Amino acid sequence: MLCRRILLIKVWNNGRRWLLPSSSLSPVPTTADYKRHFSTHIMAAFSLPQNNQFTLKIPYMENRCKFSSNAVADLHTNGIVDVPLAQTGEGIAECELLKWFIQEGDEVEEFQPLCEVQSDKATIEITSRYKGRVAQVLHVPGNIVKVGETLLKMAVEDTQVPLVTLSNLENEKQPDTKSNKDFTGGVLSTPAVRNLAKEHGININDVQGSGKDGRVLKEDVLKYATQEGIIKDPLVTATATADLGQLFHREKSSLLESAQVSGHYEDTIVPLRGFQRTMVKTMSMAAKVPHFHYVEEIDCDALAELKASFQTNNLEPGLKFTFLPVLIKSLSMALSKYPMVNSCFNEESVEVILRGSHNIGIAMATPNGLVVPNIKNVQSLSILEITKELSRLQQLSLDNKLSPADISGGTITLSNIGAIGGKFGAPIVNLPEVAIIAMGRIQKLPRVADDGDVYSASIMTVNIGADHRVLDGAIVARFCNEWKRFIEKPELLMLHMK
């Protein structure tokens, strides 16, 4: 009895904002009526006093979804739930839909991957919270989906849908039936076809389908658009709606052949998505920062001998040693002496934060754009551990599987442009970091010794880009000299390594 009284008080507290004094005397529904009403629509049954008169006001909630960071809307109608895009990371407002793992009509198990999305920080798989069947897919690959926007609708058993409290409904809005107009009426079509119809302002219910069971195909939409005078040449439209990934990976030879056959060359509009959109924003902000650059040459003969020795004595199959792990470790040793280079700048408070960890980022060019994952706590890692972590990050970047943790929290960046070509570059800082280093390729060049003899040396040119609001030339020069000393004399690196 006591437990029931406490539960009754809690429910009334959660719902008190919806219970308003009645302006007119209306018949008071019975307790059974209230129980039946709420258990049918929101599954939150409770008992009410028998002799109080009031008007119960609650928003209409059919076919709506309330987004939560836990992944799925809890409101449902007849076993249909809306699956929204969950919050994939701090500060993420939208994601690009890369691909679906399911299609309409598929049976889905709990925790089964539904789709893959990419934010400006990482690529993430969205999994199912429910076991059920995919009723409707609302987006196609390449679409930009806002956090909280519905990705798909699923048909599930009522027992799987969690109970809803009245407090969750406080800020709900009336459902927008207009936005769902084109998706009703029982028309069979894929999300890509519906999206094509939407682009041309065509109600897909007006299109006569030629596919199986009356399914509307892309050709049906283009034919209808041509008949209605919306477009003139369906082939041009079909080309314009090609998948973005196909545009990026299309062979140049096929483009030239197509242009020669048609007799003219056409421009192609390619929207920037994912990491490329991130680069637009970050570089636009970084361009406003006052930079200066410091260029130095480093003799890498001793480094080349050390790398060859590592590879000769390598006992782990599949592990390849390069110059980069030693450069990363020696950089960390130099940062320990000059911590200002391993800092970040807070523009609002005009403060410099000296970062305790050496999270050294490595700029990597991938098919999906430039990405900068970082190796955490380099100061506490061995060269072998750095080699393994670098290999892991390189593989994940190629597979487009980097996690938010892999690409966040960097303190300084290395850009190994020499691996592709070029003697040196002029890099722009990766905010909020205050320094970035571009390394050119190592090349054999003639040098003159103190006694006048000419000899051949393996020379690498480095260019340090620095935020002049925080760093000055003297600090960067001393820091670079320390780094150079460890590279040219690796025995000092072994001597000071902890």
Side-chain angles (χ1 to χ4, degrees):
M1 185 66 179
L2 178 60
C3 293
R4 183 185 176 196
R5 189 176 299 275
I6 293 174
L7 177 61
L8 184 60
I9 293 173
K10 182 176 180 181
V11 173
W12 275 105
N13 287 337
N14 287 338
R16 65 178 182 271
R17 302 177 193 178
W18 304 105
L19 305 179
L20 305 178
S22 175
S23 59
S24 61
L25 297 179
S26 303
V28 180
T30 64
T31 303
D33 292 334
Y34 277 113
K35 287 183 178 180
R36 182 170 59 255
H37 173 76
F38 281 102
S39 61
T40 299
H41 292 275
I42 62 173
M43 300 178 68
F46 53 85
S47 299
L48 299 177
Q50 295 288 340
N51 299 322
N52 290 343
Q53 294 179 344
F54 56 84
T55 299
L56 181 61
K57 295 184 178 180
I58 188 168
Y60 176 79
M61 56 185 172
E62 185 176 2
N63 289 331
R64 290 180 292 117
C65 105
K66 176 176 174 57
F67 169 74
S68 71
S69 59
N70 289 332
V72 181
D74 290 334
L75 299 178
H76 72 299
T77 302
N78 297 328
I80 299 296
V81 295
D82 293 346
V83 181
L85 174 63
Q87 181 63 261
T88 58
E90 183 178 357
I92 302 300
E94 62 184 19
C95 294
E96 177 189 358
L97 177 62
L98 296 181
K99 61 182 177 180
W100 286 105
F101 299 119
I102 49 84
Q103 58 185 355
E104 292 182 0
D106 286 355
E107 295 293 333
V108 176
E109 297 294 329
E110 192 174 4
F111 305 117
Q112 177 179 334
L114 297 175
C115 63
E116 186 176 72
V117 299
Q118 184 179 60
S119 68
D120 55 1
K121 293 184 177 181
T123 301
I124 302 161
E125 284 187 354
I126 304 297
T127 58
S128 175
R129 186 180 174 183
Y130 296 129
K131 177 182 178 180
R133 181 176 55 82
V134 179
Q136 190 176 48
V137 175
L138 302 180
H139 292 278
V140 296
N143 282 5
I144 300 297
V145 185
K146 301 288 185 181
V147 170
E149 188 176 348
T150 302
L151 286 168
L152 73 158
K153 295 178 181 292
M154 285 186 60
V156 301
E157 296 180 3
D158 287 351
T159 56
Q160 295 186 58
V161 184
L163 297 181
V164 181
T165 61
L166 290 176
S167 60
N168 286 339
L169 305 175
E170 187 173 23
N171 296 318
E172 289 297 322
K173 298 180 180 179
Q174 291 291 342
D176 186 1
T177 56
K178 181 179 179 181
S179 61
N180 295 326
K181 179 179 179 181
D182 294 339
F183 304 106
T184 58
V187 176
L188 295 176
S189 62
T190 64
V193 173
R194 289 198 294 267
N195 189 62
L196 177 63
K198 184 178 179 181
E199 288 178 357
H200 294 291
I202 298 174
N203 188 337
I204 199 168
N205 297 311
D206 298 334
V207 181
Q208 182 66 36
S210 61
K212 183 179 179 181
D213 298 326
R215 179 180 292 273
V216 176
L217 307 178
K218 180 174 68 174
E219 292 76 10
D220 300 328
V221 175
L222 295 176
K223 180 180 178 181
Y224 180 86
T226 304
Q227 294 174 348
E228 296 295 322
I230 299 175
I231 60 175
K232 295 182 179 180
D233 188 358
L235 294 178
V236 174
T237 304
T239 302
T241 57
D243 183 75
L244 181 62
Q246 295 176 354
L247 292 176
F248 274 115
H249 298 92
R250 186 182 299 168
E251 295 291 339
K252 292 183 179 179
S253 59
S254 63
L255 287 173
L256 293 175
E257 292 174 2
S258 176
Q260 292 172 357
V261 171
S262 60
H264 63 279
Y265 298 87
E266 294 184 355
D267 297 337
T268 301
I269 299 175
V270 180
L272 298 181
R273 302 285 171 82
F275 296 137
Q276 292 178 320
R277 294 185 68 189
T278 305
M279 186 170 65
V280 171
K281 293 185 288 186
T282 55
M283 291 298 100
S284 297
M285 292 188 294
K288 302 176 183 178
V289 173
H291 282 66
F292 76 91
H293 291 85
Y294 180 86
V295 181
E296 180 60 287
E297 291 184 344
I298 300 178
D299 189 333
C300 295
D301 280 338
L303 180 63
E305 293 178 4
L306 184 63
K307 172 205 161 189
S309 177
F310 284 162
Q311 193 61 45
T312 301
N313 296 281
N314 180 23
L315 300 178
E316 299 191 28
L319 188 63
K320 181 180 179 181
F321 284 93
T322 64
F323 295 106
L324 200 51
V326 181
L327 293 171
I328 293 171
K329 185 61 182 182
S330 58
L331 178 65
S332 174
M333 299 293 291
L335 290 175
S336 298
K337 188 172 181 178
Y338 296 95
M340 186 66 75
V341 184
N342 191 62
S343 65
C344 63
F345 179 60
N346 190 327
E347 190 171 359
E348 294 182 0
S349 60
V350 195
E351 294 176 338
V352 176
I353 303 172
L354 303 180
R355 306 294 294 273
S357 299
H358 298 171
N359 300 338
I360 299 179
I362 310 298
M364 298 180 182
T366 73
N368 301 288
L370 179 67
V371 62
V372 188
N374 61 82
I375 302 175
K376 303 288 194 298
N377 301 313
V378 174
Q379 72 272 26
S380 61
L381 299 179
S382 66
I383 294 177
L384 179 60
E385 290 171 329
I386 294 173
T387 302
K388 293 180 179 180
E389 179 65 5
L390 180 62
S391 177
R392 183 187 73 86
L393 293 175
Q394 287 173 334
Q395 187 59 51
L396 289 177
S397 67
L398 291 176
D399 297 337
N400 200 23
K401 297 292 185 181
L402 289 168
S403 68
D406 291 328
I407 59 179
S408 61
T411 59
I412 189 171
T413 298
L414 281 177
S415 176
N416 188 19
I417 190 65
I420 301 175
K423 297 180 179 180
F424 66 91
I428 301 176
V429 295
N430 184 22
L431 295 178
E433 301 168 12
V434 298
I436 182 173
I437 304 172
M439 302 178 296
R441 71 174 182 268
I442 299 176
Q443 52 185 339
K444 286 287 187 179
L445 296 174
R447 287 295 180 265
V448 181
D450 294 338
D451 58 4
D453 291 340
V454 178
Y455 66 96
S456 175
S458 301
I459 301 298
M460 177 180 66
T461 304
V462 298
N463 190 344
I464 303 177
D467 185 344
H468 215 335
R469 299 173 301 178
V470 178
L471 301 175
D472 56 47
I475 293 178
V476 173
R478 294 189 182 98
F479 159 75
C480 187
N481 289 338
E482 185 74 4
W483 185 35
K484 177 180 179 179
R485 191 166 68 98
F486 286 127
I487 295 174
E488 293 184 342
K489 298 180 179 180
E491 62 272 14
L492 295 179
L493 182 64
M494 305 299 121
L495 183 63
H496 293 278
M497 190 180 298
K498 296 179 180 180

